[in-house]
Amino acid sequence: MRIGVLGAGGKVGSSVCRAILEEPGYELVAAVDPKLAGIDLGQMLGRNAAGLIARRDVEALISEAPEVVIDFTEARASFHNLLKLAQAQIPAVVGTTGFTDDEMRRLGEAFEGVGCVIASNFSIGAILMMRCAAMCAPFFESVEIVEAHHDQKVDAPSGTSLETAMRITDARRVANQPGFLQDRTSNLKVEGARGGVVDGDVRIHSLRLRGAVAHHEVIFGTASQTLTIRHDSHDRSSFVPGVLLAVDRVTGLDRLVVGIDGFLGQD
């Protein structure tokens, strides 16, 4: 399968490029990163890249006729690039987050008839963590989420923690359970010490630490007991199996799909 990568010089994008070069059945035909345009990919990735040179823009990538494009850039650039891919009828697998509701709507319209997968997290372990959290949600009276990421991450909370909170809330609604117990903190000595609250009274605490990659912990509580569900990504290569799973499935889609949960089978 002929693959193109947008954001090839990024931490996740470079890991994806290395995997494509090493995995049988995939061919890296184009890699785009404006900051690295003109640089030999073999030098950048430390792998034999058959003389491929980093390209400057999505038009150069489209000219190489990839069968699937993987995007790990940033929301503003990604949105415009994805519209061009949809127009060219090229399926896309997207790990970029931060799209607005209107942008998601427009992308859904653009990819009618063409496969596209947008996911906040491609780690299979993280997907299973969210499933476990949703399964546990109806049986506990309180919950808080702690997420930790590297110190270069600009958004908080993480997309994965927000999706986890949404799944927890939805699971309680389906089970006809009331909202979680109200927080009784009345003397907040430091603003923000109790984290941020999202729909369903789920609190999220965001840590930004040098040395961290991606870590999510869901802590449930009820009378005399707590339950902790935790997932840790220690290296960006942990996202690669999920990305390649999405690459294999996206060519069989005819619309935009959010998340890779559906590719792992359902309960």
Side-chain angles (χ1 to χ4, degrees):
M1 186 181 294
R2 294 172 57 83
I3 307 294
V5 176
L6 294 165
K11 293 178 179 178
V12 178
S14 58
S15 292
V16 168
C17 287
R18 292 186 187 96
I20 294 169
L21 290 170
E22 294 170 356
E23 289 285 333
Y26 302 101
E27 180 186 2
L28 183 63
V29 297
V32 172
D33 195 305
K35 296 179 182 178
L36 302 173
I39 294 177
D40 182 271
L41 284 178
Q43 293 179 340
M44 182 180 76
L45 301 173
R47 299 288 191 280
N48 180 9
L52 279 173
I53 303 298
R55 311 299 289 271
R56 182 171 300 279
D57 51 41
V58 68
E59 288 82 5
L61 179 145
I62 291 172
S63 70
E64 297 295 336
E67 296 173 79
V68 176
V69 170
I70 301 169
D71 181 298
F72 277 91
T73 55
E74 55 86 25
R76 180 175 296 181
S78 179
F79 175 71
H80 295 291
N81 288 338
L82 289 172
L83 291 179
K84 293 176 182 178
L85 292 174
Q87 186 176 22
Q89 300 283 289
I90 299 175
V93 171
V94 186
T96 302
T97 59
F99 298 113
T100 66
D101 290 343
D102 181 63
E103 287 171 339
M104 288 296 292
R105 178 189 60 78
R106 291 176 61 186
L107 289 173
E109 294 173 351
F111 277 95
E112 289 181 359
V114 187
C116 180
V117 177
I118 298 178
S120 62
N121 197 319
F122 282 94
S123 168
I124 292 173
I127 303 305
L128 297 176
M129 176 273 295
M130 287 188 276
R131 282 194 189 180
C132 290
M135 181 179 69
C136 296
F139 302 99
F140 290 85
E141 297 175 287
S142 56
V143 65
E144 304 211 8
I145 298 173
V146 181
E147 58 95 350
H149 283 78
H150 53 89
D151 61 342
Q152 299 301 306
K153 186 174 178 65
V154 297
D155 58 316
S158 68
T160 298
S161 63
L162 288 171
E163 184 174 349
T164 303
M166 179 191 71
R167 292 192 185 201
I168 288 170
T169 300
D170 288 347
R172 287 187 70 82
R173 287 174 178 158
V174 169
N176 293 316
Q177 292 293 325
F180 289 107
L181 296 177
Q182 294 295 309
D183 181 23
R184 296 187 179 277
T185 304
S186 59
N187 183 12
L188 195 63
K189 297 181 178 180
V190 178
E191 187 67 30
R194 292 291 294 117
V197 183
V198 297
D199 184 40
D201 297 323
V202 180
R203 289 187 176 272
I204 302 178
H205 307 264
S206 295
L207 313 182
R208 296 295 175 264
L209 301 168
R210 181 153 297 184
V213 178
H215 314 268
H216 293 88
E217 186 172 47
V218 185
I219 307 170
F220 288 100
T222 193
S224 301
Q225 59 181 306
T226 60
L227 173 66
T228 299
I229 304 168
R230 182 180 176 100
H231 176 262
D232 299 281
S233 286
H234 299 291
D235 187 87
R236 274 96 181 163
S237 60
S238 64
F239 307 129
V240 170
V243 172
L244 296 183
L245 174 63
V247 166
D248 291 339
R249 298 294 184 89
V250 73
T251 56
L253 300 176
D254 60 359
R255 59 187 175 87
L256 186 154
V257 171
V258 177
I260 64 170
D261 203 320
F263 304 151
L264 301 181
Q266 296 294 327
D267 295 331

